[in-house]
Amino acid sequence: MKRITAGWMAVGLKPYWSQFEGMRERCEHHHKILTEAFDGEKVELLDAGIVDSEELARETGEKFAAGKVDIVFVQMLTYASSIYIAPVVQNLSVPVILLNVQYKKALDYENVKSIGDWLGEGITCAGVPEATAVLHQMGKQFAVITGHMEADSGVGQEIAQWCKAVSVKKVLASGNLGLLGRPYEGMIDLCVNENRIFHQFGTYVQHLDWREIMAWGQEALEAAVLKQRQLTERIFELDGSASKEDLEYIARTAAGLEKMAEKYRLHSYALHYEFDAPEDQLNLVAALNPAMTLLMTEGMSSAPEGDIRAAIAMVILKALAGPAMTAELYSMDFCEDVCLVGHSGACDGNLSKEKAVLKMSVLHGKAGKGYVTQFFPEPGPVTMLALTETKEGGFKLVAAEGMGVPGPVLKLGDTNLRVKFPIGLEAFMERWCMEGPTHHGVLARGHHAGALCKVAKVLGTELAVVSSMEEKSV
């Protein structure tokens, strides 16, 4: 997760402080408690404290603008006028999250002896509708988190998801995508308008040259090559089918790809090769799958067949979930009501429960030679994600939650996992396909539909969740 800067403030009504003794001190205590919900390693907080005047709101807005905040969190401590919020966000174009988080689950009705007790403990919700009305009229992007501070893990999770969503946007907007080759010929669903990609996500598509990778690999420092060689031995089962020279070339290719990523500030690669070429280029093509696997294991995102949208989907899902793999619908098992999901080529080594298979093979549908790299993902909760386009020219995320389950998989050299979806195989297939998700998706551990809802809002895309673990099989 890329570290973000969050504007952090609370609001309260200034007249209350003189009317009710000790109320401001209680509110400051509540603000301190909720501050601890933020992960300091991932979020830099610009804490404005309690904003209780229009003048202080304007000062806070200037502070947040100068600090280039990525998001603003507003804690509703008690009732507060909306003029304490509007000037803060007036000149900011970032999400505004109102924390309607009460100090207690419920008031101790018998011991609420004064209006101050009520206002200081159980009226955070009073100002929220007023604030949302103003934010709505201002055209601001906003959301509300509702909960309490008594061991309510849901509040912390919601805050973390919003921070991750903003981090996704920051990753996409601060880096580029390296296109090596072109989309697979005839797969016109993979074609993109690069201007729209830049406008929507801030990602520039950097067109790369094969010769530059070879040059970087040849010039790579021995320490960089050694690092990749050691990683190769850690994640692959080496049975002797790959020679020492082949392994050295794979490591050098990975080192070259790594240097290229640094040069062009790449957060992802989309690659495709399908040509007759001189021997040196064919050697490079052969090394790309295992070499890119090494980079993916270290955090890079990548998609095969020149699929730019799938590479962006992987950036999104890796930011939320960590390790991820390219995924297409592989085969249907109606006997067990599961779908085999997987893909040939590079994969994130951190997904595998055992060392991966590495062997020279024919790459189906592609000219030249290459290595297959089959990994063995752990069963457990998974989320599948695809990025597609609408007929209006906008972007849409398509997501599905399921469970990776034990059982036989194909051992042809391609990574694949048995996935059971809560709505059943047939319903999943039909719902997924009806959303027009394109050929490739991405699969990662965990259930992330809730976080993806926030990502879609931050990125300004549609989201279709076709299978949620909250649904029952039909």
Side-chain angles (χ1 to χ4, degrees):
M1 174 176 167
K2 194 177 185 69
R3 197 162 192 251
I4 67 166
T5 301
W8 174 224
M9 59 178 279
V11 289
L13 195 68
K14 194 171 187 177
Y16 287 166
W17 311 147
S18 59
Q19 290 177 331
F20 306 107
E21 184 179 356
M23 186 173 174
R24 181 181 174 90
E25 288 73 21
R26 274 189 290 168
C27 286
E28 289 173 343
H29 175 63
H30 300 169
H31 184 57
K32 182 179 179 182
I33 291 174
L34 208 50
T35 300
E36 295 173 358
F38 293 89
D39 185 339
E41 292 186 2
K42 298 176 181 177
V43 182
E44 178 186 356
L45 285 183
L46 288 185
D47 191 349
I50 299 177
V51 176
D52 57 5
S53 71
E54 176 264 345
E55 181 182 11
L56 189 53
R58 291 188 183 278
E59 291 176 5
T60 301
E62 292 174 1
K63 176 181 179 179
F64 287 173
K68 297 181 179 180
V69 298
D70 302 298
I71 189 170
V72 171
F73 290 93
V74 181
Q75 182 182 7
M76 312 299 287
L77 287 169
T78 182
Y79 169 72
S81 302
S82 50
I83 193 59
Y84 302 161
I85 299 174
V88 175
V89 301
Q90 183 177 19
N91 298 315
L92 298 177
S93 298
V94 300
V96 181
I97 314 300
L98 303 179
L99 299 180
N100 175 33
V101 180
Q102 200 165 271
Y103 181 58
K104 295 182 177 180
K105 283 186 178 181
L107 290 171
D108 183 357
Y109 300 102
E110 294 298 322
N111 291 312
V112 175
K113 303 299 184 182
S114 69
I115 292 176
D117 293 337
W118 161 55
L119 292 174
E121 304 287 347
I123 193 176
T124 61
C125 57
V128 177
E130 177 183 336
T132 57
V134 170
L135 292 171
H136 180 75
Q137 291 166 21
M138 293 175 72
K140 297 299 180 180
Q141 183 185 78
F142 68 90
V144 178
I145 296 175
T146 297
H148 55 82
M149 296 187 202
E150 292 190 44
D152 184 8
S153 60
V155 169
Q157 182 179 12
E158 288 286 303
I159 290 173
Q161 286 184 354
W162 276 110
C163 290
K164 280 188 175 181
V166 172
S167 177
V168 168
K169 182 176 182 178
K170 196 167 185 176
V171 169
L172 289 170
S174 62
N176 302 319
L177 183 150
L179 178 62
L180 189 60
R182 54 166 173 75
Y184 192 106
E185 184 178 5
M187 295 176 70
I188 59 175
D189 64 315
L190 305 188
C191 298
V192 299
N193 182 325
E194 293 178 14
N195 178 36
R196 283 182 180 161
I197 292 287
F198 182 79
H199 177 72
Q200 189 81 42
F201 305 111
T203 292
Y204 168 61
V205 178
Q206 177 77 50
H207 290 247
L208 305 174
D209 190 281
W210 302 94
R211 292 167 295 182
E212 188 172 0
I213 294 179
M214 290 188 285
W216 278 114
Q218 291 167 359
E219 297 172 9
L221 297 175
E222 289 307 312
V225 177
L226 177 61
K227 182 190 74 168
Q228 300 297 346
R229 183 70 172 84
Q230 290 172 337
L231 184 57
T232 303
E233 294 174 357
R234 180 171 70 82
I235 65 177
F236 289 113
E237 188 66 53
L238 303 177
D239 60 2
S241 57
S243 69
K244 183 178 180 181
E245 290 73 22
D246 289 339
L247 295 174
E248 176 74 11
Y249 192 84
I250 289 170
R252 283 198 171 275
T253 301
L257 288 165
E258 192 171 46
K259 290 296 294 184
M260 184 173 281
E262 293 174 5
K263 177 182 178 181
Y264 295 113
R265 296 185 298 107
L266 305 181
H267 53 53
S268 55
Y269 278 99
L271 309 95
H272 178 60
Y273 40 87
E274 186 184 352
F275 53 76
D276 293 323
E279 186 67 19
D280 59 346
Q281 290 191 35
L282 289 178
N283 289 336
L284 174 66
V285 165
L288 279 176
N289 276 347
M292 188 53 67
T293 289
L294 299 177
L295 266 66
M296 290 174 68
T297 303
E298 294 183 309
M300 177 63 66
S301 295
S302 176
E305 290 154 10
D307 192 338
I308 290 171
R309 286 192 298 267
I312 291 175
M314 183 172 287
V315 172
I316 293 170
L317 202 52
K318 281 178 78 74
L320 298 178
M325 62 183 247
T326 309
E328 66 179 38
L329 306 180
Y330 233 54
S331 186
M332 298 178 290
D333 186 334
F334 289 99
C335 296
E336 299 294 334
D337 196 40
V338 299
C339 183
L340 270 71
V341 179
H343 205 276
S344 58
C347 184
D348 190 322
N350 295 308
L351 279 172
S352 197
K353 62 184 178 181
E354 57 189 85
K355 284 193 172 185
V357 172
L358 173 67
K359 61 181 180 180
M360 186 70 74
S361 176
V362 173
L363 301 180
H364 53 273
K366 303 176 179 72
K369 61 182 181 178
Y371 288 94
V372 293
T373 54
Q374 179 164 5
F375 291 80
F376 305 95
E378 285 271 15
V382 295
T383 298
M384 190 168 171
L385 178 68
L387 176 65
T388 187
E389 293 185 44
T390 65
K391 64 181 180 181
E392 294 80 16
F395 290 91
K396 179 171 71 174
L397 294 168
V398 184
E401 293 180 334
M403 291 293 296
V405 296
V409 295
L410 298 175
K411 295 183 179 180
L412 305 174
D414 295 352
T415 302
N416 58 114
L417 176 68
R418 300 168 68 84
V419 181
K420 183 179 285 288
F421 294 95
I423 57 174
L425 175 59
E426 293 182 27
F428 161 73
M429 288 294 304
E430 291 169 8
R431 289 192 195 180
W432 181 265
C433 294
M434 288 302 293
E435 295 294 341
T438 77
H439 183 76
H440 299 114
V442 183
L443 192 78
R445 294 184 186 130
H447 293 145
H448 303 286
L452 286 168
C453 288
K454 298 171 178 63
V455 169
K457 289 178 182 178
V458 169
L459 295 179
T461 65
E462 295 181 31
L463 170 68
V465 179
V466 304
S467 173
S468 166
M469 292 306 293
E470 297 178 358
E471 295 183 83
K472 294 183 179 179
S473 180
V474 294

